[in-house]
Structures are given as C-alpha cells and as structure tokens.
DNA sequence: GTTTTTTTATTGCAAATGCAACAAAATTAA
DNA sequence: TTAATTTTGTTGCATTTGCAATAAAAAAAC
C-alpha cells in the first residue's frame, strides 16, 4: 500500500508551520492566512462556504473569521435578500497584506516543486485534484455523522 | 502558478478530521493516532525524532506522547547508555488498537486513490515524496529561526 | 580536560480547535 | 399555508497547539 496520505500529511503540516511563523510579522495568528486569502480571492463569500472550502470545522472558521474582523483584516456585511448570511470582504488593511501572503505562497510552491519538470508539476497537480475530490466526499460524509465501513 | 499546496492542505485537513472522528471510538483524542502508529512501526523511537518525522512542534509532540502514556497506549523506557533520552514503545493496549488504525488508513488511502490507475498512484506517490523532501528542508530551516528570502 | 554547542525533554502561558448544543432564517415537503 | 428539514450562525467547554524559557545530558571544539 503506497502511503500517499502520510506524505501529504507531512507536507501539509510543514507548510502550515512555515506559513504560521512567517505571517506573524503581519500580525496574523495561527491559521488566519487560510481564510484571508480566500476572502480576498472570493469577496462576498460566507463563512459556511469558507469552512467547506478549507475543510475545517464550521465553528473553527467562525472564530477565525471573527478574529480577522476584530483585527481589521476583513469586514462582514449583511445581505439584502437573505437576512441570515453575512458576506465577507477584505478591508483596506486586508487587501494590503494579501500580496505578501501571495508572494510567500508562490515561493513555497516553487520551493516544493524544485527539481520537478513543468510536466511533472502539472501531473502532480492534476492527480492531487482528483485525490482531493475523492477525499472531500468522505469528509462531508463523515462530518455529517455518517459512518464509513471498513 | 499551479496551486498544489492548496490541494495538499485541503486533503490533509479533511483526512485528519476524518481520522480524528473515527478514532474517538478507540479513546484516542485529536492527533494521537499520528504518534501511536509511528511508535508501533518504530518501537524505541524517541520523541524528538517523532516530532521531526511528523513535522510538528517538539513541545506538541511531548504532550501528545505524555497523554498516550497516561492513557496506557505507550510506555517510556530509559536508555542504558544515554541518560537523557526516553525510548517509546507500544503497550499491549497500544498494539491492540494498531490494526484498527491501519485498516482505517488503508481504507482512506484506497478511497483517496479511487479512479487512479496503479501507474498513476505510483506516479503521485513518487512525486509527493520529492515534494516532501523539498518542503522538509524549508521547514527545518524556518523552525530553527532562519528567514527565507522572497 | 575544559568550554561551547547541540540534543533532548519539560513547564507556563496564550491561543486555536472542535464537538455539543442551541437558535433563527430559509428552503422544501406535505 | 403549515410543517419539517436544511442552512447559517453562535456560545460553552474541554482539549490541543506552539512559542518562550529553562534545564540537563551528550557531543564537539578548543
């Protein structure tokens, strides 16, 4: 059995750790960069979707977002039609740090792909997308309280 | 720029979330499965190496391991030669839950690879290993307090 | 053989994480 | 239209996480 998930776990933890250390100089605490980049990329997104996207518990996302708002990186706005949801937008401050985060991400991406040919990079990207789609099915299944059978 | 790291992050968080939910029935709390499998696979390993392997902060590993010991899954043993280190071994209880964890992992692996040919699975595994080696270099660099330049 | 550096482990904080439980708006079913 | 279900959001609590700081054994440098 090829332990691809173990490799993925190692890579993900290492990268997250690096990002958390590097973004402290932006006054972003642990994990906040995850939400901020996506809000910058998809302004108007709601936190429920964000949690789904990032694959994190809804309540964790709620608190991370609340803190981003508290610290002035993002802003919540009521919707006209739907009184329940609160759309998320970056503030000026949020928009200002976004390029720094992007640069860090690009650097990490490039470092991660070092020694891989362009073709190999594309291959791993495509395969990873397929794996991700497989895994997110199970995640939603289990998160909803269903039981996998094995 | 191909966002392979974002895919990896999503996959890793989803899988970790699934495992944490599924291993609650073994009385393993968040993250503990990571340490327990490796101790079962490499009995006698010390926690410093374990942290490096898993890519987690040393102090986090220390506490997770302490709790595994407290709950009777593993046992720390003094070394004859080296008075500083404490070697880690699974207890009977630890050995008993190991197959369950393995089965879950195998199932997740298979589910993740669904729709990929054997050849594609091998390809992604090899590429991931190369990526992991790249990333762990940076992780160690940054963890030691060094600054990446970008 | 002594000093310096590295390795290994620990504890005190402050913070993030996630399950349970709850609430209310919106959607679907009857 | 009313009732049932789903979606979206929140708070309480227990736990994990990780940076700083400390300590002591071991290894390396001098």
């Amino acid at each position: 059995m090829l332990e691809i998930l173990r490799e993925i776990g190692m890579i993900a933890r290492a990268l997250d750790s690096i990002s958390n250390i590097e973004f402290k100089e932006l006054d972003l605490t642990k994990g906040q960069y995850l939400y901020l980049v996506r809000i910058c990329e998809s302004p108007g997104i709601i936190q429920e979707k964000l949690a789904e996207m990032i694959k994190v518990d809804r309540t964790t996302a709620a608190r991370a977002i609340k803190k981003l708002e508290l610290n002035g990186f993002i802003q919540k706005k009521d919707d006209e039609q739907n009184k329940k949801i609160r759309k998320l937008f970056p503030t000026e401050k949020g928009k200002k740090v976004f390029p720094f985060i992007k640069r860090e991400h690009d650097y990490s991406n490039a470092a991660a792909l070092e020694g891989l040919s362009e073709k190999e990079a594309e291959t791993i990207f495509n395969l990873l997308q397929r794996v991700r789609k497989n895994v997110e099915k199970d995640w939603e299944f289990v998160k909803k309280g269903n039981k996998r059978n094995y």
Side-chain angles (χ1 to χ4, degrees), chain A residues 98-113:
Chain A
F98 181 53
F100 183 92
I101 301 177
K102 266 208 92 60
R103 201 162 72 244
E104 194 265 3
H105 277 17
D106 286 350
Y107 183 87
S108 287
N109 248 291
L113 293 172

Side-chain angles (χ1 to χ4, degrees), chain A residues 8 10 19 21 28 47-48 55 89 97 117 127 129:
Chain A
I8 289 174
M10 289 190 268
S19 292
I21 291 168
L28 288 172
Q47 67 178 43
E48 197 75 12
K55 268 105 187 88
F89 296 90
V97 299
S117 72
L127 293 173
Q129 281 188 307

Side-chain angles (χ1 to χ4, degrees), chain A residues 90-149:
Chain A
T91 58
E92 281 312 310
K93 183 181 175 189
K95 283 183 201 161
K96 207 142 111 201
V97 299
F98 181 53
F100 183 92
I101 301 177
K102 266 208 92 60
R103 201 162 72 244
E104 194 265 3
H105 277 17
D106 286 350
Y107 183 87
S108 287
N109 248 291
L113 293 172
E114 177 133 320
L116 303 219
S117 72
E118 204 146 316
K119 189 154 185 170
E120 287 174 320
E122 238 170 85
T123 302
I124 194 174
F125 180 62
N126 288 318
L127 293 173
L128 280 170
Q129 281 188 307
R130 286 162 67 190
V131 168
R132 188 253 301 160
K133 279 171 200 156
N134 285 335
V135 170
E136 74 190 355
K137 250 185 271 153
D138 272 22
W139 182 65
E140 272 150 40
F141 183 77
V142 172
K143 259 313 223 184
K144 278 186 189 124
N146 299 107
K147 215 165 151 50
R148 301 199 300 176
N149 228 23

Side-chain angles (χ1 to χ4, degrees), chain A residues 41-59:
Chain A
E41 285 170 2
S42 313
I45 194 173
I46 63 170
Q47 67 178 43
E48 197 75 12
K49 295 294 157 222
L50 209 41
E52 229 173 80
M53 212 164 168
I54 295 176
K55 268 105 187 88
V56 87
D57 192 79
R58 295 160 53 238
T59 63

